Coordinates of all heavy atoms in Angstrom, one line a residue:
M25 N 4.5 85.2 -39.4 CA 3.7 85.2 -38.1 C 3.5 83.8 -37.6 O 3.7 83.5 -36.4 CB 2.4 85.9 -38.5 CG 1.6 86.2 -37.2 SD 2.3 87.3 -36.1 CE 1.2 87.3 -34.8
N26 N 3.0 82.8 -38.5 CA 2.8 81.5 -38.0 C 4.1 80.9 -37.6 O 4.1 80.1 -36.6 CB 2.3 80.6 -39.3 CG 0.8 80.5 -39.2 OD1 0.2 81.0 -38.2 ND2 0.1 80.1 -40.2
D27 N 5.2 81.1 -38.3 CA 6.5 80.6 -37.8 C 6.8 81.1 -36.4 O 7.3 80.3 -35.6 CB 7.7 81.2 -38.8 CG 7.8 80.3 -40.0 OD1 7.0 79.3 -40.1 OD2 8.7 80.6 -40.8
H28 N 6.5 82.4 -36.2 CA 6.7 82.9 -34.9 C 5.9 82.2 -33.8 O 6.5 81.8 -32.8 CB 6.3 84.4 -34.9 CG 6.7 85.1 -33.6 ND1 8.1 85.3 -33.3 CD2 6.0 85.7 -32.6 CE1 8.1 86.0 -32.1 NE2 7.0 86.2 -31.8
I29 N 4.7 81.8 -34.1 CA 3.9 81.1 -33.1 C 4.4 79.7 -32.9 O 4.5 79.1 -31.8 CB 2.4 81.0 -33.6 CG1 1.8 82.4 -33.5 CG2 1.6 80.0 -32.7 CD1 0.4 82.6 -34.1
D30 N 4.8 79.0 -34.0 CA 5.5 77.7 -33.9 C 6.7 77.7 -33.1 O 6.8 76.8 -32.2 CB 5.9 77.2 -35.3 CG 4.7 76.7 -36.1 OD1 3.6 76.6 -35.5 OD2 4.9 76.4 -37.3
V31 N 7.5 78.7 -33.3 CA 8.7 78.8 -32.4 C 8.3 79.0 -30.9 O 8.9 78.2 -30.1 CB 9.6 80.0 -32.9 CG1 10.7 80.2 -31.9 CG2 10.2 79.7 -34.2
K32 N 7.4 79.8 -30.7 CA 6.9 80.0 -29.3 C 6.4 78.7 -28.7 O 6.7 78.3 -27.6 CB 5.8 81.1 -29.2 CG 6.4 82.5 -29.0 CD 5.3 83.5 -28.8 CE 4.7 83.5 -27.3 NZ 3.8 84.5 -27.1
D33 N 5.6 78.0 -29.4 CA 5.0 76.7 -29.0 C 6.1 75.7 -28.8 O 6.1 75.0 -27.8 CB 4.1 76.1 -30.0 CG 2.7 76.8 -30.0 OD1 2.5 77.7 -29.1 OD2 1.9 76.6 -30.9
R34 N 7.1 75.7 -29.7 CA 8.2 74.7 -29.5 C 9.0 75.0 -28.2 O 9.4 74.1 -27.5 CB 9.1 74.7 -30.7 CG 8.6 73.8 -31.8 CD 9.7 73.4 -32.8 NE 10.4 74.5 -33.4 CZ 9.9 75.1 -34.6 NH1 8.8 74.7 -35.1 NH2 10.5 76.1 -35.0
I35 N 9.2 76.3 -28.0 CA 10.0 76.7 -26.8 C 9.2 76.3 -25.5 O 9.7 75.8 -24.6 CB 10.4 78.1 -26.8 CG1 11.5 78.4 -27.8 CG2 10.8 78.7 -25.4 CD1 11.8 79.9 -28.1
E36 N 7.9 76.6 -25.6 CA 7.1 76.2 -24.4 C 7.1 74.8 -24.2 O 7.2 74.3 -23.0 CB 5.6 76.7 -24.6 CG 5.4 78.3 -24.2 CD 6.0 78.5 -22.8 OE1 5.7 77.9 -21.9 OE2 6.9 79.5 -22.8
G37 N 6.9 74.0 -25.2 CA 6.9 72.5 -25.1 C 8.3 72.0 -24.5 O 8.3 71.2 -23.6
D38 N 9.4 72.6 -25.0 CA 10.7 72.2 -24.5 C 10.9 72.7 -23.1 O 11.5 71.9 -22.3 CB 11.8 72.7 -25.4 CG 12.0 72.0 -26.7 OD1 11.5 70.8 -26.7 OD2 12.7 72.5 -27.6
R39 N 10.3 73.8 -22.7 CA 10.4 74.2 -21.3 C 9.6 73.3 -20.4 O 10.1 73.0 -19.2 CB 9.9 75.7 -21.2 CG 10.9 76.7 -21.6 CD 10.5 78.1 -21.4 NE 11.5 79.0 -21.7 CZ 11.4 80.3 -21.8 NH1 10.2 80.9 -21.7 NH2 12.4 81.1 -22.1
R40 N 8.5 72.9 -20.8 CA 7.8 71.9 -20.0 C 8.6 70.6 -19.8 O 8.6 70.0 -18.7 CB 6.4 71.5 -20.6 CG 5.4 72.7 -20.7 CD 4.9 73.2 -19.4 NE 5.9 74.1 -18.7 CZ 6.0 75.4 -19.0 NH1 5.3 76.0 -20.0 NH2 7.0 76.1 -18.4
A41 N 9.3 70.2 -20.9 CA 10.2 69.0 -20.8 C 11.3 69.2 -19.7 O 11.6 68.4 -18.9 CB 10.8 68.7 -22.1
I42 N 11.9 70.5 -19.8 CA 12.9 70.8 -18.8 C 12.4 70.8 -17.4 O 13.0 70.3 -16.5 CB 13.6 72.1 -19.2 CG1 14.5 72.0 -20.4 CG2 14.4 72.8 -18.0 CD1 15.2 73.3 -20.9
D43 N 11.1 71.4 -17.2 CA 10.6 71.5 -15.9 C 10.4 70.0 -15.4 O 10.6 69.8 -14.2 CB 9.2 72.1 -16.0 CG 9.3 73.6 -16.3 OD1 10.4 74.2 -16.2 OD2 8.3 74.2 -16.6
G44 N 9.9 69.1 -16.2 CA 9.8 67.7 -15.8 C 11.1 67.1 -15.4 O 11.2 66.4 -14.4
L45 N 12.1 67.4 -16.2 CA 13.5 66.8 -15.9 C 14.0 67.4 -14.6 O 14.6 66.6 -13.8 CB 14.5 67.1 -17.0 CG 14.2 66.3 -18.4 CD1 15.0 66.8 -19.4 CD2 14.5 64.8 -18.1
D46 N 13.8 68.7 -14.4 CA 14.3 69.3 -13.2 C 13.6 68.7 -12.0 O 14.2 68.4 -10.9 CB 14.0 70.8 -13.1 CG 15.1 71.6 -14.0 OD1 16.1 71.0 -14.3 OD2 14.8 72.8 -14.3
A47 N 12.3 68.4 -12.0 CA 11.6 67.8 -10.9 C 12.1 66.4 -10.6 O 12.3 66.1 -9.5 CB 10.1 67.7 -11.3
R48 N 12.5 65.7 -11.7 CA 13.1 64.3 -11.5 C 14.4 64.4 -10.9 O 14.8 63.7 -10.0 CB 13.1 63.5 -12.8 CG 11.7 63.0 -13.2 CD 11.7 62.6 -14.6 NE 12.6 61.6 -14.9 CZ 12.9 61.1 -16.2 NH1 12.3 61.7 -17.2 NH2 13.7 60.1 -16.4
I49 N 15.2 65.4 -11.3 CA 16.6 65.6 -10.8 C 16.5 65.9 -9.3 O 17.3 65.4 -8.5 CB 17.4 66.7 -11.6 CG1 17.7 66.2 -13.0 CG2 18.6 67.1 -10.9 CD1 18.2 67.2 -14.0
I50 N 15.6 66.8 -8.9 CA 15.5 67.2 -7.6 C 15.1 66.0 -6.7 O 15.6 65.8 -5.6 CB 14.5 68.4 -7.4 CG1 15.1 69.7 -8.0 CG2 14.1 68.6 -6.0 CD1 14.1 70.8 -8.3
E51 N 14.1 65.2 -7.2 CA 13.7 64.0 -6.4 C 14.9 63.0 -6.3 O 15.1 62.5 -5.2 CB 12.5 63.3 -7.3 CG 12.0 62.1 -6.7 CD 11.6 62.1 -5.2 OE1 11.2 63.2 -4.8 OE2 11.7 61.1 -4.5
L52 N 15.6 62.8 -7.4 CA 16.7 62.0 -7.3 C 17.8 62.5 -6.3 O 18.5 61.7 -5.6 CB 17.4 61.8 -8.7 CG 16.6 60.9 -9.8 CD1 17.3 61.0 -11.1 CD2 16.5 59.5 -9.3
L53 N 18.1 63.8 -6.3 CA 19.0 64.4 -5.4 C 18.5 64.2 -3.9 O 19.3 63.9 -3.0 CB 19.2 65.9 -5.7 CG 20.1 66.2 -6.9 CD1 20.1 67.6 -7.2 CD2 21.5 65.7 -6.6
A54 N 17.2 64.3 -3.7 CA 16.7 64.1 -2.4 C 16.9 62.6 -2.0 O 17.3 62.4 -0.8 CB 15.2 64.5 -2.3
Q55 N 16.6 61.7 -2.9 CA 16.9 60.3 -2.6 C 18.3 60.0 -2.2 O 18.6 59.3 -1.3 CB 16.4 59.4 -3.8 CG 15.0 59.2 -3.9 CD 14.6 58.3 -5.1 OE1 15.4 57.5 -5.5 NE2 13.5 58.6 -5.8
R56 N 19.2 60.6 -3.1 CA 20.6 60.4 -2.9 C 21.1 60.9 -1.6 O 21.9 60.3 -0.8 CB 21.4 61.1 -4.0 CG 22.9 60.8 -4.0 CD 23.7 61.7 -4.9 NE 25.0 61.2 -5.1 CZ 26.0 61.2 -4.2 NH1 25.7 61.7 -3.0 NH2 27.2 60.7 -4.5
S57 N 20.6 62.1 -1.2 CA 20.9 62.7 0.0 C 20.4 61.9 1.2 O 21.2 61.7 2.2 CB 20.3 64.1 0.1 OG 20.6 64.8 1.2
H58 N 19.3 61.3 1.1 CA 18.7 60.4 2.2 C 19.6 59.2 2.4 O 20.0 58.8 3.5 CB 17.3 60.0 1.8 CG 16.6 59.2 2.8 ND1 16.1 59.8 3.9 CD2 16.3 57.9 2.8 CE1 15.5 58.8 4.6 NE2 15.7 57.6 4.0
I59 N 20.0 58.6 1.3 CA 20.8 57.3 1.4 C 22.2 57.7 1.9 O 22.9 57.0 2.7 CB 20.9 56.6 0.0 CG1 19.5 56.0 -0.3 CG2 21.9 55.4 0.1 CD1 19.4 55.5 -1.8
S60 N 22.8 58.8 1.4 CA 24.1 59.2 1.8 C 24.1 59.5 3.3 O 25.0 59.1 4.1 CB 24.6 60.5 1.1 OG 25.8 60.9 1.4
D61 N 23.1 60.1 3.8 CA 22.9 60.5 5.2 C 22.8 59.1 6.0 O 23.5 59.1 7.1 CB 21.6 61.3 5.4 CG 21.5 61.9 6.8 OD1 22.4 62.5 7.2 OD2 20.5 61.5 7.5
R62 N 22.1 58.2 5.5 CA 22.0 56.9 6.2 C 23.5 56.2 6.4 O 23.8 55.8 7.4 CB 21.1 56.0 5.5 CG 20.7 54.7 6.2 CD 19.5 54.1 5.6 NE 19.7 53.6 4.2 CZ 18.7 53.5 3.3 NH1 17.5 53.9 3.6 NH2 19.1 53.1 2.2
I63 N 24.2 56.3 5.3 CA 25.6 55.7 5.3 C 26.4 56.4 6.4 O 27.1 55.9 7.2 CB 26.2 55.8 3.9 CG1 25.6 54.8 2.9 CG2 27.7 55.4 4.0 CD1 26.1 55.0 1.5
Q64 N 26.4 57.8 6.3 CA 27.2 58.6 7.2 C 26.8 58.3 8.7 O 27.7 58.2 9.6 CB 27.0 60.1 6.8 CG 27.6 60.4 5.6 CD 27.3 61.8 5.1 OE1 27.6 62.8 5.7 NE2 26.6 61.9 3.9
K65 N 25.5 58.3 9.0 CA 25.0 58.0 10.3 C 25.5 56.6 10.8 O 25.9 56.5 11.9 CB 23.5 58.1 10.4 CG 23.0 59.5 10.4 CD 21.6 59.6 11.0 CE 21.2 61.1 11.1 NZ 20.2 61.5 10.2
N66 N 25.4 55.6 9.9 CA 25.8 54.3 10.3 C 27.3 54.3 10.6 O 27.7 53.7 11.6 CB 25.5 53.3 9.1 CG 24.2 52.7 9.3 OD1 23.8 52.3 10.4 ND2 23.5 52.4 8.2
R67 N 28.1 55.0 9.7 CA 29.6 54.9 9.9 C 29.9 55.7 11.3 O 30.7 55.2 12.0 CB 30.3 55.6 8.7 CG 31.7 55.3 8.7 CD 32.4 55.6 7.4 NE 32.0 56.8 6.8 CZ 31.5 56.9 5.6 NH1 31.4 55.8 4.7 NH2 31.0 58.1 5.1
I68 N 29.3 56.9 11.4 CA 29.6 57.6 12.6 C 29.2 56.8 13.9 O 29.9 56.7 14.9 CB 28.9 59.0 12.6 CG1 29.6 59.9 11.6 CG2 29.0 59.7 14.0 CD1 28.8 61.1 11.2
G69 N 28.0 56.1 13.8 CA 27.5 55.3 14.9 C 28.5 54.2 15.3 O 28.5 53.7 16.4
S70 N 29.3 53.7 14.3 CA 30.2 52.6 14.6 C 31.7 53.2 14.8 O 32.6 52.5 14.6 CB 30.2 51.5 13.6 OG 30.6 52.1 12.3
G71 N 31.7 54.5 15.1 CA 33.0 55.1 15.4 C 33.9 55.6 14.2 O 35.0 55.9 14.4
G72 N 33.2 55.5 13.0 CA 34.0 56.0 11.9 C 33.8 57.5 11.5 O 33.1 58.1 12.2
P73 N 34.5 57.9 10.5 CA 34.3 59.3 10.1 C 33.1 59.7 9.3 O 32.6 58.7 8.7 CB 35.6 59.6 9.3 CG 35.9 58.2 8.7 CD 35.4 57.2 9.6
R74 N 32.6 60.8 9.3 CA 31.5 61.2 8.5 C 31.9 61.1 7.0 O 31.1 60.5 6.3 CB 31.1 62.6 8.8 CG 30.0 63.2 7.8 CD 29.5 64.5 8.3 NE 28.6 64.3 9.4 CZ 27.3 64.0 9.3 NH1 26.8 63.8 8.2 NH2 26.6 63.8 10.4
T75 N 33.0 61.6 6.6 CA 33.3 61.6 5.2 C 34.5 60.7 4.9 O 35.3 60.3 5.7 CB 33.8 63.0 4.7 OG1 34.8 63.5 5.5 CG2 32.6 64.0 4.8
V76 N 34.6 60.1 3.6 CA 35.6 59.3 3.2 C 36.1 59.8 1.9 O 35.4 59.7 0.8 CB 35.1 57.8 3.0 CG1 36.2 56.9 2.4 CG2 34.6 57.3 4.4
L77 N 37.3 60.4 1.9 CA 37.7 61.2 0.7 C 38.0 60.2 -0.5 O 37.7 60.7 -1.6 CB 39.0 62.0 1.0 CG 38.7 63.2 2.0 CD1 40.0 64.0 2.2 CD2 37.6 64.0 1.5
A78 N 38.4 59.0 -0.3 CA 38.7 58.1 -1.4 C 37.4 57.8 -2.2 O 37.4 57.7 -3.3 CB 39.3 56.8 -0.8
R79 N 36.3 57.6 -1.4 CA 35.0 57.4 -2.0 C 34.5 58.7 -2.8 O 34.0 58.6 -3.9 CB 34.0 57.0 -1.0 CG 32.6 56.9 -1.4 CD 32.4 55.8 -2.5 NE 31.0 55.8 -2.9 CZ 30.5 55.2 -4.0 NH1 31.3 54.5 -4.7 NH2 29.2 55.3 -4.3
E80 N 34.8 59.8 -2.1 CA 34.3 61.1 -2.9 C 35.1 61.3 -4.1 O 34.6 61.7 -5.1 CB 34.5 62.2 -1.9 CG 33.6 62.1 -0.6 CD 33.4 63.5 0.1 OE1 33.9 64.5 -0.3 OE2 32.7 63.4 1.1
A81 N 36.4 60.8 -4.1 CA 37.2 60.9 -5.4 C 36.6 60.0 -6.5 O 36.6 60.4 -7.6 CB 38.6 60.5 -5.1
E82 N 36.0 58.8 -6.1 CA 35.4 58.0 -7.1 C 34.1 58.7 -7.6 O 33.9 58.6 -8.8 CB 34.9 56.6 -6.3 CG 36.0 55.7 -6.2 CD 35.4 54.4 -5.4 OE1 34.1 54.1 -5.4 OE2 36.2 53.7 -4.7
V83 N 33.3 59.3 -6.8 CA 32.2 60.0 -7.2 C 32.6 61.1 -8.2 O 32.0 61.3 -9.3 CB 31.4 60.5 -6.0 CG1 30.2 61.4 -6.4 CG2 30.9 59.4 -5.1
L84 N 33.6 61.9 -7.8 CA 34.1 63.0 -8.6 C 34.4 62.5 -10.0 O 34.1 63.1 -11.0 CB 35.3 63.6 -7.9 CG 35.7 65.0 -8.3 CD1 34.6 66.0 -8.1 CD2 36.9 65.4 -7.5
S85 N 35.2 61.4 -10.1 CA 35.7 60.8 -11.3 C 34.5 60.4 -12.2 O 34.5 60.6 -13.4 CB 36.5 59.5 -11.2 OG 37.7 59.9 -10.5
R86 N 33.4 59.9 -11.5 CA 32.2 59.4 -12.3 C 31.6 60.6 -13.0 O 31.2 60.5 -14.2 CB 31.2 58.7 -11.4 CG 30.0 58.3 -12.1 CD 29.0 57.6 -11.1 NE 29.7 56.6 -10.2 CZ 29.4 56.5 -8.9 NH1 28.6 57.3 -8.3 NH2 30.1 55.6 -8.2
Y87 N 31.5 61.8 -12.4 CA 30.8 62.9 -13.0 C 31.8 63.5 -14.1 O 31.3 64.0 -15.1 CB 30.6 64.0 -11.9 CG 29.3 63.7 -11.1 CD1 29.2 62.7 -10.2 CD2 28.1 64.4 -11.4 CE1 28.1 62.4 -9.5 CE2 26.9 64.2 -10.7 CZ 26.9 63.1 -9.7 OH 25.7 62.9 -9.1
Q88 N 33.1 63.4 -13.8 CA 34.0 63.9 -14.8 C 34.0 63.1 -16.0 O 34.0 63.5 -17.2 CB 35.4 64.0 -14.2 CG 35.6 65.1 -13.2 CD 36.9 65.0 -12.4 OE1 37.4 64.0 -12.2 NE2 37.3 66.1 -11.8
D89 N 33.9 61.7 -15.8 CA 33.9 60.8 -17.0 C 32.6 61.0 -17.8 O 32.6 61.0 -19.0 CB 33.9 59.4 -16.5 CG 35.3 59.0 -16.0 OD1 36.2 59.7 -16.1 OD2 35.4 57.9 -15.3
G90 N 31.5 61.3 -17.1 CA 30.2 61.4 -17.8 C 30.0 62.8 -18.4 O 29.4 62.9 -19.4
L91 N 30.5 63.9 -17.8 CA 30.2 65.2 -18.2 C 31.4 66.1 -18.6 O 31.3 67.2 -19.0 CB 29.5 65.9 -17.1 CG 28.2 65.3 -16.6 CD1 27.7 66.0 -15.3 CD2 27.1 65.4 -17.7
G92 N 32.6 65.5 -18.5 CA 33.8 66.3 -18.8 C 34.1 67.3 -17.6 O 33.6 67.1 -16.6
P93 N 34.9 68.3 -18.0 CA 35.4 69.1 -16.9 C 34.3 69.8 -16.2 O 34.4 70.2 -14.9 CB 36.3 70.2 -17.6 CG 36.7 69.6 -18.9 CD 35.6 68.6 -19.2
K94 N 33.2 70.0 -16.8 CA 32.0 70.7 -16.2 C 31.3 69.8 -15.1 O 30.5 70.3 -14.3 CB 30.9 71.1 -17.3 CG 31.4 72.3 -18.1 CD 30.3 72.7 -19.0 CE 30.7 74.0 -19.8 NZ 29.8 74.4 -20.8
G95 N 31.7 68.5 -15.2 CA 31.2 67.6 -14.2 C 31.8 67.9 -12.8 O 31.2 67.5 -11.8
T96 N 33.0 68.5 -12.7 CA 33.6 68.7 -11.4 C 32.8 69.6 -10.5 O 32.6 69.0 -9.4 CB 35.0 69.3 -11.7 OG1 35.8 68.5 -12.6 CG2 35.8 69.5 -10.4
P97 N 32.4 70.7 -10.9 CA 31.6 71.5 -9.9 C 30.3 70.9 -9.6 O 29.7 71.1 -8.5 CB 31.5 72.9 -10.6 CG 31.8 72.7 -12.0 CD 32.7 71.5 -12.1
I98 N 29.7 70.2 -10.5 CA 28.5 69.5 -10.2 C 28.6 68.4 -9.2 O 27.8 68.4 -8.2 CB 27.8 68.9 -11.5 CG1 27.5 70.0 -12.5 CG2 26.6 68.1 -11.3 CD1 27.0 69.7 -13.9
A99 N 29.7 67.6 -9.4 CA 29.9 66.6 -8.4 C 30.2 67.2 -7.0 O 29.7 66.7 -6.0 CB 31.1 65.8 -8.8
M100 N 31.0 68.3 -7.0 CA 31.2 68.9 -5.6 C 30.0 69.5 -5.0 O 29.8 69.4 -3.8 CB 32.3 70.0 -5.9 CG 33.6 69.4 -6.2 SD 34.9 70.6 -6.7 CE 35.2 71.4 -5.1
S101 N 29.1 70.0 -5.8 CA 27.8 70.5 -5.3 C 26.9 69.4 -4.8 O 26.3 69.5 -3.7 CB 27.0 71.2 -6.3 OG 27.7 72.4 -6.7
V102 N 26.9 68.3 -5.5 CA 26.2 67.1 -5.0 C 26.7 66.6 -3.7 O 26.0 66.3 -2.8 CB 26.2 65.9 -6.2 CG1 25.6 64.6 -5.5 CG2 25.4 66.4 -7.4
L103 N 28.0 66.5 -3.7 CA 28.6 66.0 -2.4 C 28.4 67.0 -1.2 O 28.1 66.5 -0.2 CB 30.2 65.8 -2.6 CG 30.6 64.5 -3.5 CD1 32.0 64.6 -3.9 CD2 30.2 63.2 -2.8
R104 N 28.5 68.2 -1.6 CA 28.1 69.2 -0.5 C 26.7 69.1 0.0 O 26.4 69.2 1.2 CB 28.5 70.7 -1.0 CG 28.6 71.7 0.1 CD 29.1 73.0 -0.4 NE 30.1 73.0 -1.4 CZ 30.1 73.4 -2.6 NH1 28.9 74.1 -3.0 NH2 31.0 73.4 -3.5
L105 N 25.8 68.9 -1.0 CA 24.4 68.7 -0.5 C 24.2 67.5 0.3 O 23.4 67.5 1.2 CB 23.6 68.6 -1.9 CG 22.1 68.3 -1.7 CD1 21.3 69.6 -1.4 CD2 21.5 67.6 -3.0
C106 N 24.9 66.4 0.0 CA 24.7 65.1 0.6 C 25.5 65.0 2.0 O 25.2 64.1 2.8 CB 25.0 64.0 -0.3 SG 23.9 63.9 -1.7
R107 N 26.5 65.8 2.1 CA 27.3 65.7 3.4 C 26.5 66.5 4.4 O 26.1 67.6 4.2 CB 28.6 66.5 3.2 CG 29.7 65.6 3.0 CD 31.0 66.4 3.0 NE 31.8 66.2 1.8 CZ 32.2 67.3 1.0 NH1 31.8 68.4 1.3 NH2 32.9 67.0 0.0
G108 N 26.1 65.8 5.5 CA 25.4 66.5 6.5 C 26.3 67.6 7.2 O 27.5 67.6 7.0
A109 N 25.6 68.4 8.0 CA 26.4 69.4 8.7 C 27.2 68.6 9.8 O 26.8 67.4 10.2 CB 25.5 70.3 9.5
V110 N 28.3 69.0 10.2 CA 29.2 68.3 11.2 C 28.3 68.2 12.5 O 27.9 69.3 12.9 CB 30.6 69.0 11.4 CG1 31.3 68.3 12.5 CG2 31.3 69.0 10.1
P111 N 28.1 67.1 13.0 CA 27.2 67.0 14.2 C 27.9 67.5 15.5 O 29.2 67.4 15.5 CB 26.9 65.4 14.3 CG 28.1 64.8 13.6 CD 28.6 65.7 12.6
T112 N 27.1 68.0 16.4 CA 27.7 68.4 17.7 C 27.9 67.1 18.5 O 27.4 66.1 18.2 CB 26.7 69.3 18.4 OG1 25.5 68.5 18.6 CG2 26.3 70.5 17.6
D113 N 28.7 67.3 19.6 CA 28.9 66.1 20.5 C 27.6 65.6 21.1 O 27.4 64.4 21.1 CB 29.9 66.5 21.7 CG 31.3 66.6 21.1 OD1 31.5 66.2 20.0 OD2 32.1 67.2 21.9
A114 N 26.7 66.6 21.3 CA 25.4 66.2 22.0 C 24.6 65.3 21.0 O 24.0 64.3 21.4 CB 24.6 67.4 22.3
Q115 N 24.6 65.8 19.7 CA 23.9 65.0 18.7 C 24.5 63.5 18.5 O 23.7 62.6 18.4 CB 23.9 65.8 17.4 CG 23.0 66.8 17.3 CD 23.1 67.8 16.0 OE1 24.3 67.8 15.5 NE2 22.1 68.3 15.5
L116 N 25.8 63.5 18.5 CA 26.4 62.2 18.4 C 26.0 61.3 19.5 O 25.7 60.1 19.4 CB 28.0 62.4 18.4 CG 28.6 62.9 17.1 CD1 30.0 63.1 17.2 CD2 28.3 61.9 15.9
T117 N 26.0 61.8 20.8 CA 25.6 61.1 22.0 C 24.2 60.6 21.8 O 23.9 59.4 22.1 CB 25.8 61.9 23.2 OG1 27.2 62.4 23.2 CG2 25.6 61.0 24.5
N118 N 23.3 61.5 21.4 CA 21.9 61.2 21.3 C 21.6 60.2 20.2 O 20.7 59.4 20.2 CB 21.0 62.5 21.0 CG 21.0 63.3 22.3 OD1 21.1 62.8 23.4 ND2 20.7 64.6 22.1
D119 N 22.4 60.2 19.1 CA 22.2 59.3 18.0 C 22.5 57.9 18.4 O 22.1 56.9 17.7 CB 23.1 59.7 16.8 CG 22.5 60.8 16.0 OD1 21.3 61.1 16.3 OD2 23.1 61.3 15.1
R120 N 23.4 57.7 19.4 CA 23.8 56.3 19.7 C 22.7 55.6 20.3 O 21.9 56.1 21.2 CB 25.0 56.4 20.7 CG 26.3 57.1 20.0 CD 27.5 56.2 20.2 NE 28.5 56.6 19.2 CZ 29.4 57.5 19.4 NH1 29.4 58.2 20.6 NH2 30.3 57.9 18.5
P121 N 22.6 54.2 20.0 CA 21.5 53.5 20.6 C 21.7 53.2 22.1 O 22.8 53.2 22.5 CB 21.5 52.2 19.9 CG 22.8 52.1 19.1 CD 23.4 53.5 19.0
Ligands
ISJ202 C1 27.8 58.2 1.5 C2 29.1 58.1 1.9 O1 29.7 58.9 2.8 C3 30.1 60.2 2.5 C4 29.2 60.8 1.4 C5 29.5 60.4 0.1 C6 28.5 60.8 -1.1 O2 27.4 61.4 -0.7 O3 28.6 60.2 -2.1 C7 30.7 59.9 -0.3 C8 31.7 59.6 0.6 C9 31.5 60.1 2.0 O4 32.3 61.2 2.2 C10 29.9 56.9 1.6 O5 30.9 56.7 2.1 O6 29.5 56.2 0.5

């Protein structure tokens, strides 16, 4: 019976740890997305493309090196999160100083 309570407590403790890690991951993703958006806006503002596939390939490799094959879909989701929607012509005109 005591063992059962210990196991429940350990699981609860570990879940709180996971909740804390998830909160940090979400905050880091929001920061990443903000910085990525700034780069994309600067590039578009100077006549460049929104996305740069060579750079995205570097990011993909980093996740694959760190996490193995399971890193691939994670990197793709991160890149999808950070790529803004393709802007309309009107937005591009309004964004220009
Ligand atoms: C942020 C950039 O722009 C885009 C977004 C990327 C990202 O979120 O990692 C990577 C390449 C680009 O497609 C960049 O060029 O570094």
Side-chain angles (χ1 to χ4, degrees):
M25 185 65 183
N26 267 347
D27 274 2
H28 189 63
I29 292 169
D30 281 354
V31 168
K32 269 185 80 175
D33 284 350
R34 277 203 299 274
I35 288 175
E36 275 313 303
D38 281 346
R39 281 186 175 165
R40 295 294 77 82
I42 285 177
D43 291 346
L45 289 169
D46 281 343
R48 284 165 61 190
I49 290 168
I50 290 166
E51 174 58 28
L52 289 171
L53 285 170
Q55 283 179 29
R56 189 192 192 286
S57 183
H58 182 74
I59 294 171
S60 180
D61 188 57
R62 192 164 63 207
I63 291 173
Q64 293 169 61
K65 284 200 172 106
N66 269 321
R67 194 166 42 235
I68 290 170
S70 62
R74 171 171 288 275
T75 56
V76 175
L77 291 186
R79 172 64 184 166
E80 294 198 2
E82 282 177 23
V83 173
L84 198 60
S85 292
R86 183 180 308 139
Y87 280 75
Q88 288 167 335
D89 290 348
L91 300 170
K94 287 184 177 174
T96 306
I98 295 174
M100 289 171 74
S101 294
V102 170
L103 287 167
R104 199 173 315 122
L105 176 79
C106 294
R107 263 189 235 118
V110 176
T112 62
D113 285 346
Q115 282 170 330
L116 285 176
T117 307
N118 289 335
D119 276 354
R120 295 231 164 88

